[in-house]
Amino acid sequence: MPTEPGRREPAKRSRPNVKDVAARAGVSRATAARALGGYGYSSQEVMERVTEAARELGYEPNRVARTMRSGKSDIIGFVCADISDAFFSSAMRGICDVALDEGSKVIVMNTDDQLSQEQDAARVLLSHEVDGLIITPVSVREHAHIDAVTGAGVPVVSLDRQLSDAGIDSVVADNEAGTANAIHHLIGRGHHRIAYLGSVQPEEPPALRIGKSRASVAGPSRPSLDRVRGYLRALSAAGLPVERELIALVPHDEPGRRTDAVAAMLALGDPPSALFTADSYMTKSAFTLLSERGIAIPGEMSLLGFDDLEWTTLVRPRISVVVQSAYDMGRAAAAQLFAKIAAPESGAGSASVRGQRTVIPTRFLERESVGLVAEPVRGR
Amino acid sequence: MPTEPGRREPAKRSRPNVKDVAARAGVSRATAARALGGYGYSSQEVMERVTEAARELGYEPNRVARTMRSGKSDIIGFVCADISDAFFSSAMRGICDVALDEGSKVIVMNTDDQLSQEQDAARVLLSHEVDGLIITPVSVREHAHIDAVTGAGVPVVSLDRQLSDAGIDSVVADNEAGTANAIHHLIGRGHHRIAYLGSVQPEEPPALRIGKSRASVAGPSRPSLDRVRGYLRALSAAGLPVERELIALVPHDEPGRRTDAVAAMLALGDPPSALFTADSYMTKSAFTLLSERGIAIPGEMSLLGFDDLEWTTLVRPRISVVVQSAYDMGRAAAAQLFAKIAAPESGAGSASVRGQRTVIPTRFLERESVGLVAEPVRGR
DNA sequence: GTGAAAGCGCTAACAA
DNA sequence: TTGTTAGCGCTTTCAC
C-alpha cells in the first residue's frame, strides 16, 4: 500500500521512526511523539498531520526503545514445568487472553521441575525487563531467586503452588476442599475403605502422622499434600479410620512405580472398594491396570480421579472426576499480576496486601465410575 | 549472598549496570563492557577484576539496552491458533527447547484462526524487534502481513502450513504420503469402500474433481487438503473408484456437523466398511458415535485416524492412527529459523534457498481398530 | 590495552 | 501549544 512513487525509499533501511514521521509532518520529534503517544498537548491540526504521516509511512512505535525509557516492556513471563502439559498450556491460554486485553505479551520458559532451570529463567526474564512474572515454582521452600525478582520491583504471582507465606501472591485450586468433597461422595455411596493414590515431590517427602483420633500431614501447602489433607479430613469427619496401607504416595519422578502402587493396593489382604487417584497420571495408571486385569468398574472397584482429561468421557464407564480449570487459574493469576503492575508501587503507606491467596473452586463431575456399596460385602 | 555490610546499598535502586561494575573495578565503562561481553581486548588482570566486581554486584546485562544497540533481541515469536491445543503446545515445547540452546526466548500469540489477530500479532512482534517468527498462518493466500515481516529483514518459518510458494520456508508433515499409506493399509486388509471424514477451512472450500480415471482436489497445499489427496492417490493406485458420497468435508468452525457427517456415512445405502478420520476431532466424533450406537469396532466398522492422542490407547479397541510429531515439527521449524537468523543476510550473491520446504515424516501405528474384510460381505 | 564519546529510538523535563 | 535537550544501558568506533 505505501505507494509513494515520487520519493526514493531507502529500501534496505529499517522501519520508520518518530524522526521520519516528524520530518514528513513538518514538526519536531517531540511533537510527533506526543501526537502519536497521546500524551501531552497538541493542536488538532498538528495531530492530524502527524497521524497522516505515520499512516503513510507505516510507522509503528519501537517497543524496545520505549521499554528502555519507560521501564515498561509490555511483556510478562510465565515459568512452568512443561508447556506441552495440558494443565500448563490451558493456564497459558488464560494468561495470554488477559495479557492481550492489557496490551501485553507472554514469554514462556520451561523448567522440567529443575530448580536450576527455574533460577536461570528468573534471571533471564529479569534481564528482559518483564513487567511481571507468573510462576509455578519447583520448590515452595527455595525461593531466593523469586525474592530477587520481587526485590527488583517486578511483581510475581505463583500459580498452582502456595507461596503466600513468603509474601508472594498465589493462585491455587481448592485442592483440600475439592478432595474432601469427593471422598465425602464416596463415603455417601457406602465406601469405607477408600485408597488414596497420589504423587509427591521427591525432594519434599511428606511426613504423614496418623494418630488415634487425628491424622495429619506435615509440610507446606502444595496441591499434592493438600489433597492428602482433604482425604484425611473427609475420613475424620465421617468417623472413619485412617489406614496407612490405603495411602500410596509415589515420587513424581518415578512414573514406573505408579502402576506398582495400584497393583499393591489391589493385592491387599483387605482391599479397598474405591480408588481415589489424586492426579491425572495416577488416574490413567489405575484405569489402565483395572482394564488389563478385567476388573469391572464400578462393579468390582470404584474409581474417582482428580483432574479432567478428554479420555475420561470416552472410555466406558466414564470416569467421575474433580475438575480444576487451569484456564481460569491462568486468567486469575494474570488478572492479579496486572493489578499489581498497575498499582502505584503499593509499598508506601497503606498496608499493602502481600502474599494474597486466591482460591479457584473445583467442581465435582459425577459420571459412572463410582458404585454403591450396600453392606460389608466381603468375598463377593 | 551479596552481603556487603560496609557499603550502603541504595536499596530501591534498580539492578546494577556496566557503569557500576566499572566503578567498582576501577576501570572505564568501555573496558568493563569489553571484559564482560568477551569482545575486544583486555588484559588478564583487568578481566579478573571486572569479572569479580560483576559477580559481587550480581550484575546481569540488560537485554533491552543490548537489543537497542545490536538489533538482536534474543526473542522469537510463535503465532498459532491456540496454544492450549495439544498440537501447538507440543510444537511450542520443541521450539522452546531449541531456543534455549540458542540463548533465545519465545513469545506466543494466539490467533483463534482469525486473520486480523494474526496481522496484529505480526505487527506487535515486529515492534518488539523479534529475531524471527514461527507462524501457523490462518490463510495460505493472504500473507501480505507475513511478507512485511520478512521485508523488515526478520526471518519467518511457516509451521504445518505450506507457504513456500510465497518464498517463505515451511515445515510440514508428509500429510499426503502418511494418509496414502494408511489408506493403502486399509485396502490391504480387504476394504474397498473407505470413507474419508475430514475438516476444511471455511474460507477456502476445496474443489473436488472426480473424473472417470482420475480424481483430484484443487487448491493450495494444506494439511486438510493434502490428506484428501493422499486418500485419492491411494484409491487410484489400487484401482478403486472414488465415490463422492464417501467423502465428507466439514467446515472447521462447525463442530456440530462432525457427528452428522459420521451418521450420514453410516446411513448410506451401501455403507463403507472403514472410516478414515483425518483429524483428531473427527476421530473423536466417530469413535463416540460408534460407541453410542453399539457398533462394534472393528467387527462392524473399522476406524483409522490421523493424529495420536492419549485416549486412543485407553479405549477398547485401541485406535490405529497416523502420527505426526508436533514436537519434532516445532524443533525443525526452530532449527531452520535460527539457521536463517545466523546466516549473514543470505540475500547478496548466492542464490539463497528461499521457500525451502522441510517435510517431517509421519508414522503409522497399527493397533486394533482395523479389521479384515474377507469377501463382499453384504448383509453380515 | 584502555578511555572518551557518540548514538540506537523513545520519552519527559524544561524552555520558549 | 511546540521545540530543545538530556538521557535510559549498552556497544562500538576512534584516539590515546
Side-chain angles (χ1 to χ4, degrees):
Chain A
M1 293 313 168
T3 319
E4 190 68 24
R7 297 209 178 279
R8 29 125 217 181
E9 300 279 338
K12 227 43 198 167
R13 196 209 182 282
S14 221
R15 312 178 8 241
N17 59 24
V18 244
K19 202 170 151 190
D20 300 327
V21 176
R24 190 179 187 90
V27 295
S28 74
R29 302 208 314 260
T31 305
R34 268 193 292 261
L36 292 167
Y39 55 85
Y41 308 92
S42 52
S43 69
Q44 185 67 25
E45 191 225 332
V46 165
M47 179 74 108
E48 278 170 13
R49 268 217 322 274
V50 172
T51 313
E52 173 63 12
R55 212 185 48 71
E56 287 172 358
L57 259 39
Y59 169 77
E60 201 67 35
N62 182 323
R63 321 290 307 209
V64 178
R66 180 174 284 184
T67 301
M68 185 107 151
R69 256 320 295 209
S70 66
K72 192 151 178 293
S73 60
D74 285 341
I75 296 178
I76 63 171
F78 178 39
V79 178
C80 65
D82 178 8
I83 192 63
S84 69
D85 181 279
F87 177 83
F88 293 119
S89 63
S90 292
M92 175 68 186
R93 187 49 146 96
I95 295 169
C96 283
D97 285 355
V98 174
L100 189 63
D101 288 342
E102 299 279 343
S104 199
K105 300 100 220 169
V106 189
I107 290 180
V108 193
M109 302 202 74
N110 302 289
T111 66
D112 284 322
D113 266 322
Q114 308 268 256
L115 188 59
S116 62
Q117 302 229 50
E118 182 174 305
Q119 290 162 335
D120 289 348
R123 196 146 21 80
V124 166
L125 289 170
L126 214 46
S127 78
H128 275 286
E129 305 247 83
V130 293
D131 297 334
L133 193 59
I134 295 176
I135 187 170
T136 300
V138 174
S139 165
V140 294
R141 327 189 100 103
E142 204 76 53
H143 51 73
H145 55 298
I146 300 178
D147 296 338
V149 176
T150 56
V154 175
V156 174
V157 172
S158 162
L159 179 71
D160 194 41
R161 304 274 159 88
Q162 166 92 279
L163 228 51
S164 27
D165 304 331
I168 291 160
D169 287 5
S170 304
V171 171
V172 293
D174 64 340
N175 293 292
E176 181 170 341
T179 303
N181 182 43
I183 301 297
H184 178 74
H185 170 82
L186 287 171
I187 295 171
R189 308 273 280 177
H191 295 274
H192 300 136
R193 289 183 63 75
I194 302 168
Y196 180 99
L197 290 150
S199 305
V200 289
Q201 295 305 111
E203 327 86 62
E204 301 173 356
L208 208 55
R209 284 183 299 225
I210 301 180
K212 282 252 155 62
S213 58
R214 257 178 67 88
S216 69
V217 44
S221 175
R222 273 183 147 273
S224 52
L225 301 189
D226 288 345
R227 292 175 194 174
V228 179
R229 292 187 179 103
Y231 168 81
L232 299 177
R233 191 173 89 190
L235 291 186
S236 299
L240 290 173
V242 172
E243 300 195 28
R244 188 60 185 85
E245 65 174 10
L246 289 179
I247 301 176
L249 270 12
V250 176
H252 188 262
D253 58 350
E254 297 183 51
R257 285 180 51 189
R258 287 196 276 255
T259 301
D260 299 343
V262 180
M265 218 49 96
L266 300 178
L268 246 33
D270 185 7
S273 62
L275 263 33
F276 176 76
T277 46
D279 58 72
S280 55
Y281 303 103
M282 200 55 103
T283 306
K284 184 178 173 182
S285 297
F287 180 80
T288 303
L289 191 71
L290 291 173
S291 299
E292 281 173 1
R293 298 220 176 155
I295 297 174
I297 305 172
E300 298 175 77
M301 181 63 76
S302 289
L303 179 62
L304 200 162
F306 204 112
D307 257 341
D308 196 22
L309 288 174
E310 193 176 25
W311 66 266
T312 55
T313 62
L314 289 171
V315 297
R316 289 300 116 89
R318 281 181 279 257
I319 313 297
S320 298
V321 291
V322 178
V323 234
Q324 57 178 346
S325 169
Y327 178 80
D328 289 341
M329 291 173 71
R331 280 201 76 104
Q336 201 158 319
L337 186 68
F338 284 110
K340 289 184 77 174
I341 291 172
E345 187 56 56
S346 57
S350 67
S352 66
V353 213
R354 294 246 316 152
Q356 189 182 339
R357 182 161 169 270
T358 303
V359 178
I360 306 296
T362 56
R363 278 177 307 132
F364 177 60
L365 295 186
E366 180 169 3
R367 300 207 269 240
E368 304 113 30
S369 64
V370 172
L372 208 59
V373 175
E375 281 301 295
V377 62
R378 271 293 73 70
R380 149 98 66 146
Chain B
M1 290 313 167
T3 320
E4 190 67 24
R7 299 211 175 279
R8 29 125 217 181
E9 300 280 340
K12 226 49 200 163
R13 197 208 180 284
S14 221
R15 311 169 20 233
N17 59 24
V18 242
K19 201 170 153 190
D20 300 327
V21 176
R24 191 179 185 91
V27 294
S28 75
R29 302 207 315 257
T31 306
R34 268 193 291 261
L36 292 167
Y39 53 83
Y41 309 92
S42 53
S43 68
Q44 186 67 26
E45 190 224 333
V46 165
M47 181 73 109
E48 279 169 12
R49 268 219 320 275
V50 172
T51 312
E52 173 63 11
R55 212 187 47 71
E56 287 173 358
L57 259 41
Y59 169 78
E60 200 67 35
N62 182 323
R63 322 290 308 213
V64 179
R66 181 174 282 185
T67 301
M68 185 108 150
R69 265 309 302 208
S70 66
K72 192 150 178 296
S73 60
D74 284 343
I75 297 179
I76 63 171
F78 177 39
V79 177
C80 65
D82 178 9
I83 191 63
S84 69
D85 181 280
F87 177 84
F88 293 119
S89 63
S90 293
M92 174 69 187
R93 187 47 145 95
I95 294 169
C96 283
D97 285 355
V98 174
L100 189 64
D101 289 342
E102 299 281 342
S104 199
K105 300 100 217 170
V106 189
I107 290 181
V108 192
M109 302 202 74
N110 301 290
T111 66
D112 283 323
D113 266 323
Q114 308 267 254
L115 188 60
S116 61
Q117 301 227 51
E118 183 174 304
Q119 290 162 334
D120 289 349
R123 196 147 20 82
V124 165
L125 290 170
L126 213 46
S127 77
H128 275 286
E129 304 247 84
V130 292
D131 296 334
L133 193 59
I134 294 176
I135 187 169
T136 299
V138 173
S139 165
V140 291
R141 324 188 103 104
E142 204 76 52
H143 51 74
H145 56 297
I146 300 178
D147 296 338
V149 176
T150 56
V154 175
V156 174
V157 173
S158 162
L159 179 71
D160 193 41
R161 304 274 159 88
Q162 165 93 277
L163 228 49
S164 26
D165 304 330
I168 291 160
D169 287 5
S170 304
V171 171
V172 293
D174 65 340
N175 293 293
E176 182 171 341
T179 302
N181 182 43
I183 300 298
H184 179 75
H185 171 83
L186 287 170
I187 296 171
R189 307 274 280 177
H191 295 272
H192 301 135
R193 290 184 62 76
I194 302 168
Y196 180 98
L197 291 150
S199 306
V200 288
Q201 296 306 109
E203 326 87 62
E204 302 173 356
L208 209 54
R209 284 183 301 225
I210 302 181
K212 282 251 156 66
S213 58
R214 258 180 65 89
S216 69
V217 45
S221 175
R222 273 184 146 273
S224 52
L225 301 189
D226 288 345
R227 291 175 195 175
V228 178
R229 293 187 178 103
Y231 168 81
L232 299 177
R233 191 174 89 190
L235 290 186
S236 300
L240 289 174
V242 172
E243 299 195 26
R244 188 60 185 85
E245 65 174 10
L246 289 179
I247 301 176
L249 270 11
V250 176
H252 189 261
D253 56 352
E254 298 183 52
R257 285 179 51 188
R258 286 196 275 257
T259 302
D260 299 343
V262 180
M265 218 50 96
L266 300 178
L268 245 34
D270 185 8
S273 63
L275 263 33
F276 176 76
T277 46
D279 58 72
S280 55
Y281 304 103
M282 200 54 103
T283 307
K284 184 178 172 183
S285 297
F287 180 80
T288 304
L289 190 71
L290 291 173
S291 298
E292 282 173 1
R293 299 222 176 153
I295 297 173
I297 306 173
E300 299 175 78
M301 181 64 74
S302 288
L303 179 62
L304 200 162
F306 205 111
D307 258 343
D308 197 22
L309 288 174
E310 193 176 25
W311 66 266
T312 55
T313 62
L314 289 171
V315 298
R316 288 302 115 91
R318 281 181 278 256
I319 314 296
S320 297
V321 290
V322 178
V323 235
Q324 57 178 346
S325 169
Y327 177 82
D328 289 341
M329 291 174 70
R331 280 200 78 105
Q336 201 157 319
L337 186 68
F338 284 111
K340 290 184 77 175
I341 291 172
E345 187 56 55
S346 58
S350 68
S352 65
V353 213
R354 294 247 316 152
Q356 190 183 340
R357 184 161 170 270
T358 304
V359 178
I360 307 296
T362 56
R363 279 176 306 132
F364 178 59
L365 296 186
E366 180 168 5
R367 299 206 272 241
E368 304 115 28
S369 64
V370 172
L372 206 61
V373 175
E375 282 299 295
V377 62
R378 271 293 76 67
R380 149 103 66 158

